[in-house]
């Protein structure tokens, strides 16, 4: 990628950087390996910091290249350590990314598109519509910006921010290769979250990457699911669960089903029983996410703890493994699309719940 005059280096692999330094400066290829280490492993922001490069080369790099054309425009820090930021891209679009430090890991949540076309009824991002896909460079650059804000090394990546990753599959896979090969985070520590674009689940399986696939199911039946997720009108629950089975057959990686609990919408014992029935024999994990109340046109409500427990119990009694998402960043704009909407000065009309 090039800005108006300069080559952007974030997004180039070590092999591409080796070829580039040779062609551009006639330098030995190992200079490209050094560049890759500074950019992806040390996450530096200037050529000046690349202390093992000769000063003359650093000066020439400065003239013809930039590490990244993107900047951080907003940073919000939560008392629980969560850091949410907006990355301003070269074309002035903005995307959200989040740093989530836990005791045993440091995770980041990255965006894959500017906006989103999926229209989930509980999501703030959906309200702004879709603008464009992010490039692999822009996806990996979110991680590098967050690394600079973190005292500890980032260990896990989830593609669960703005956008539907499987509708930007080529760039997403290219970004995962950079995160794996250049940053050094293993595929097993990477999760892609999808609303369930069935043909793209099969396409992802063909890449045979040992990542985790998380499917936002949120209802076990088409009637309920179509009300909260318009995508269900195109690919229904049964086709989606079959795709999860086939994904396991192909990759031997069990799928995580995300399930956002909305009181009296999808959290009744019937929904739990129906979910248990449909997931019988599917190698999977169900992650329950009680809705975090904010006003919505549908008046979605958070279920009481007793309802969550009952839902969980029904699944567990049916032999399904269940986890419950640890909620973070309550004192900041922690949900997908919330910070971006606020920063643009627009009111946030809908629920602010990450999927
Ligand atoms: S929840 Fe995800 S897929 Fe659904 S509208 Fe929001 S960003 Fe898009």
């Amino acid at each position: 990628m090039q800005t108006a005059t300069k080559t952007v280096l974030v997004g180039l692999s070590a092999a591409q950087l080796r070829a580039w330094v040779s062609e551009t400066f006639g330098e030995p290829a190992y200079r490209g390996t050094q560049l890759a280490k500074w950019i992806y492993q040390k996450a530096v922001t200037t050529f000046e910091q690349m202390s093992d490069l000769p000063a003359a080369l650093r000066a020439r790099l400065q003239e013809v290249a930039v590490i990244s054309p993107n900047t951080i425009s907003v940073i919000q820090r939560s008392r629980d350590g969560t850091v949410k930021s907006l990355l301003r891209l070269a074309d002035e679009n903005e995307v959200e990314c989040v740093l989530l430090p836990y005791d045993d890991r440091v995770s980041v949540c990255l965006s894959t598109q500017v906006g989103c076309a999926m229209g989930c009824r509980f999501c703030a991002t959906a309200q702004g519509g879709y603008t464009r896909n992010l490039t692999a460079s822009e996806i990996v650059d979110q991680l590098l910006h967050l690394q600079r804000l973190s005292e500890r090394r980032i260990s896990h990546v989830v593609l669960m921010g703005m956008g539907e990753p499987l509708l930007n599959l080529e760039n997403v896979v290219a970004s995962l290769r950079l995160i794996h090969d250049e940053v050094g985070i293993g595929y097993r520590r990477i999760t892609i979250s999808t609303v369930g674009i069935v043909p793209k689940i099969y396409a992802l399986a063909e890449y045979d990457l040992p990542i985790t696939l998380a499917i936002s199911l949120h209802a076990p039946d088409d009637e309920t699911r179509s009300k909260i997720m318009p995508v269900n009108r195109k690919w229904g629950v049964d086709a989606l669960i079959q795709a999860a089975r086939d994904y396991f057959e192909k990759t031997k990686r069990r799928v995580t089903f995300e399930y956002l609990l909305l009181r009296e919408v999808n959290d009744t014992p019937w929904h739990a029983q129906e979910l248990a029935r449909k997931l019988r024999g599917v190698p999977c994990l169900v992650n329950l996410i009680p809705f975090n109340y904010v006003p919505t046109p549908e008046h979605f409500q958070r279920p009481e703890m007793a309802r969550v427990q009952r839902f969980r119990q029904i699944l567990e009694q049916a032999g399904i493994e269940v986890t419950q998402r640890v909620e973070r960043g309550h004192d900041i704009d922690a949900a997908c699309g919330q910070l971006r909407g606020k920063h643009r000065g627009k009111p946030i009309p809908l629920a602010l719940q990450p999927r």
Side-chain angles (χ1 to χ4, degrees):
M1 178 182 166
Q2 299 226 315
T3 62
T5 51
K6 294 188 175 183
T7 300
V8 174
L9 301 190
V10 162
L12 299 181
S13 66
Q16 289 169 319
L17 286 167
R18 282 193 288 274
W20 181 76
V21 289
S22 300
E23 281 161 26
T24 310
F25 306 114
E27 287 280 340
Y30 73 85
R31 294 290 184 209
T33 309
Q34 289 174 302
L35 268 175
K37 281 210 174 108
W38 285 111
I39 293 168
Y40 295 109
Q41 288 171 28
K42 298 190 193 292
V44 299
T45 51
T46 66
F47 295 116
E48 224 16 72
Q49 293 165 279
M50 300 182 176
S51 54
D52 58 0
L53 296 185
L57 176 57
R58 295 202 303 254
R60 287 159 76 201
L61 281 164
Q62 185 74 39
E63 282 165 22
V64 302
V66 289
I67 297 172
S68 161
N70 311 315
T71 52
I72 289 281
S73 56
V74 178
I75 298 173
Q76 288 188 339
R77 289 179 190 271
S78 163
R79 280 187 295 276
D80 65 18
T82 303
V83 181
K84 184 152 192 174
S85 56
L86 272 186
L87 187 68
R88 177 169 294 160
L89 307 171
D91 64 0
E92 303 287 307
N93 277 305
E94 291 176 320
V95 290
E96 297 181 1
C97 49
V98 188
L99 177 74
L100 299 141
Y102 298 91
D103 290 344
D104 61 339
R105 62 174 66 184
V106 178
S107 191
V108 291
C109 178
L110 308 181
S111 294
T112 54
Q113 297 180 316
V114 181
C116 186
M118 295 293 95
C120 302
R121 302 299 297 159
F122 45 81
C123 173
T125 297
Q127 304 314 302
Y130 167 80
T131 303
R132 69 169 174 87
N133 280 335
L134 293 184
T135 63
S137 167
E138 290 167 333
I139 296 169
V140 75
D141 204 23
Q142 295 169 59
L143 185 153
L144 298 177
H145 275 88
L146 291 172
Q147 183 61 71
R148 291 170 200 129
L149 300 175
S150 174
E151 285 164 14
R152 291 154 57 203
R153 192 127 198 99
I154 292 166
S155 58
H156 290 73
V157 175
V158 293
L159 301 187
M160 204 181 275
M162 297 166 64
E164 165 51 55
L166 297 191
L167 291 181
N168 185 16
L169 189 55
E170 232 171 83
N171 290 335
V172 162
V173 169
S175 73
L176 297 189
R177 294 210 159 111
L178 290 167
I179 290 168
H180 176 269
D181 298 350
E182 312 302 346
V183 181
I185 297 174
Y187 283 125
R188 287 173 198 279
R189 295 176 165 205
I190 298 174
T191 299
I192 291 187
S193 176
T194 177
V195 288
I197 313 292
V198 167
K200 297 287 185 181
I201 292 175
Y202 288 96
L204 176 66
E206 287 303 315
Y207 285 99
D208 213 6
L209 301 173
I211 53 164
T212 298
L213 179 64
I215 296 177
S216 299
L217 191 58
H218 304 336
D221 62 298
D222 287 330
E223 192 187 335
T224 309
R225 194 165 188 267
S226 294
K227 276 189 207 151
I228 54 177
M229 301 178 76
V231 68
N232 194 71
R233 292 182 204 130
K234 189 143 190 191
W235 295 288
V237 171
D238 291 348
L240 189 50
I241 292 174
Q242 185 58 45
R245 281 182 196 274
D246 295 339
Y247 186 85
F248 176 81
E249 283 310 314
K250 170 85 181 154
T251 64
K252 300 297 171 230
R253 302 280 297 162
R254 73 174 177 170
V255 162
T256 298
F257 286 108
E258 305 282 353
Y259 199 104
L260 177 68
L261 287 160
L262 305 162
R263 185 155 74 86
E264 286 171 15
V265 175
N266 64 356
D267 73 334
T268 68
W270 180 85
H271 288 102
Q273 284 151 6
E274 187 65 1
L275 183 62
R277 188 179 73 76
K278 294 222 169 147
L279 295 186
R280 196 171 298 140
V282 180
C284 69
L285 172 80
V286 173
N287 187 29
L288 296 178
I289 313 158
F291 178 65
N292 191 19
Y293 177 78
V294 285
T296 62
E298 281 91 348
H299 306 295
F300 292 137
Q301 303 283 329
R302 181 184 178 90
E304 298 82 4
M305 195 46 72
R307 293 179 76 94
V308 176
Q309 289 310 332
R310 188 175 45 175
F311 197 94
R312 179 173 188 152
Q313 215 172 26
I314 292 169
L315 294 179
E316 286 179 338
Q317 280 167 356
I320 292 172
E321 194 178 334
V322 182
T323 56
Q324 202 170 316
R325 180 178 290 180
V326 180
E327 294 168 74
R328 303 288 301 251
H330 273 305
D331 52 332
I332 59 172
D333 301 307
C336 165
Q338 191 172 5
L339 178 60
R340 177 172 171 255
K342 197 175 270 186
H343 185 57
R344 287 152 128 196
K346 290 185 181 171
I348 302 297
L350 272 199
L352 308 169
Q353 185 75 31
R355 64 167 188 249

